[in-house]
Amino acid sequence: MPELTAALGHRYWAETKLERGGREARRPLIEPAAAGKSYPQARKVPLLHDLDLLDKPFGHLLRERRSHRRYGEELLTGRELAMLLWAAQGVTARAGSALLRTAPSAGALHPLETYVAVEKVDQLERGLYHLDVGRFELSWLSGAPLGRELAHAALEQSFLAQAAAIFLWSALFRRNMAKYGHRGLRYILLDAGHLCQNLLLAAQAMGLAACPVAAFYDDEVNDLLGLDGDEEAVLYLAAVGRRKE
Ligand SMILES: Cc1cc2nc3c(=O)[nH]c(=O)nc-3n(C[C@H](O)[C@H](O)[C@H](O)COP(=O)(O)O)c2cc1C
């Protein structure tokens, strides 16, 4: 067994510590990237959410949240989908040019982009969509149903193919790392946890089944989304559907 301190992850951790007196870790290394990604040519789908859908005692949501991997055939409503997206990335305030959201983000840089593979949502065509956070609308990217392919790319985790919607979060690394350097990668991963947990609790509030997923073949999932995997790469997924006991 190699020593823990020789492991790649440990070296990264050690070399990105902040220490009094200054370290290289935070020095900006690269040019920044634009704050919001958009697909101006894509067909748009407006999103209508309804905060009343989440009106459940918060303590109960925390107590009852579980990862569920069995999904029924019934469709999600458009409002439920919108509510999930809003819980993850809804804009709740502005600070200068920054769009502050339901989830916190280091330096308010919001390096994560949200995509959703729609399989079973009422009045919404199957396919791949991107969330335009500022306008709170979806851009339709492709009509190819991705459930099975995502399940295949996620180490054959077949429950993904049964989900009504699969959310995918990518990082645009420059957005964060131009400011925080190598240490920024820590923050990007922390941001992802916040945002996914928001979505999971929203799913719980609406009585839906949800499961986070991080085991997947990176290149295969990036390819399905048309991402290069360097500038922007998928780091986290969440499957959501109707509960099936
Ligand atoms: C970062 C992360 C990655 C995960 N990846 C997977 C995954 O690839 N497949 C899966 O079925 N569950 C995945 N899970 C869910 C965990 O297995 C689950 O949270 C754990 O078993 C505890 O169960 P609970 O969520 O019901 O409390 C992941 C959870 C986290 C936080």
Side-chain angles (χ1 to χ4, degrees), residues 5-245:
T5 51
L8 178 62
H10 192 280
R11 279 181 7 242
Y12 170 76
W13 195 253
E15 289 182 24
T16 56
K17 283 181 184 169
L18 285 185
E19 287 174 344
R20 290 189 191 281
R23 280 284 293 248
E24 295 294 300
R26 274 195 58 168
R27 188 196 290 165
L29 301 168
I30 47 178
E31 293 299 312
K37 190 174 181 188
S38 64
Y39 293 82
Q41 311 303 330
R43 177 155 54 83
K44 306 297 177 194
V45 181
L47 291 164
L48 275 178
H49 67 292
D50 176 1
L51 284 183
D52 288 347
L53 289 174
L54 303 189
D55 195 13
K56 300 278 160 31
F58 186 60
H60 293 224
L61 295 179
L62 292 177
R63 191 183 62 200
E64 286 156 18
R65 183 212 60 79
R66 279 277 75 79
S67 295
H68 295 281
R69 300 175 182 82
R70 285 165 57 81
Y71 309 115
E73 285 305 310
E74 302 89 342
L75 306 181
L76 296 191
T77 67
R79 250 164 232 253
E80 286 168 330
L81 182 78
M83 202 63 252
L84 292 164
L85 290 163
W86 188 87
Q89 282 288 268
V91 173
T92 48
R94 285 168 197 265
S97 61
L99 300 176
L100 303 182
R101 314 189 189 169
T102 48
S105 173
L109 292 169
H110 290 288
L112 303 179
E113 293 291 328
T114 302
Y115 299 82
V116 55
V118 168
E119 289 287 312
K120 289 174 257 182
V121 179
D122 196 23
Q123 298 188 349
L124 198 54
E125 201 174 315
R126 286 169 88 189
L128 179 67
Y129 298 78
H130 169 262
L131 175 67
D132 185 320
V133 171
R135 304 170 75 91
F136 198 55
E137 64 186 15
L138 291 173
S139 302
W140 184 77
L141 304 185
S142 117
L146 290 183
R148 276 175 194 282
E149 293 186 64
L150 285 169
H152 180 56
L155 282 58
E156 308 301 341
Q157 298 191 76
S158 58
F159 66 87
L160 284 167
Q162 307 306 320
I166 301 161
F167 298 82
L168 305 102
W169 291 288
S170 68
L172 259 153
F173 297 103
R174 272 175 200 276
R175 253 188 227 154
N176 173 293
M177 294 176 83
K179 178 172 181 186
Y180 293 117
H182 294 306
R183 187 175 173 86
L185 187 55
R186 297 184 184 214
Y187 301 161
I188 291 171
L189 302 176
L190 293 169
D191 279 13
H194 290 296
L195 160 161
C196 185
Q197 176 75 348
N198 277 6
L199 179 135
L200 298 175
L201 290 174
Q204 178 67 32
M206 293 187 287
L208 301 174
C211 184
V213 170
F216 54 83
Y217 296 114
D218 300 69
D219 292 345
E220 293 184 20
V221 173
N222 288 330
D223 285 351
L224 288 172
L225 268 60
L227 306 180
D228 66 4
D230 292 322
E231 286 288 327
E232 181 178 0
V234 173
L235 42 82
Y236 210 10
L237 277 57
V240 180
R242 293 244 169 254
R243 279 208 192 150
K244 186 177 176 188
E245 299 313 327

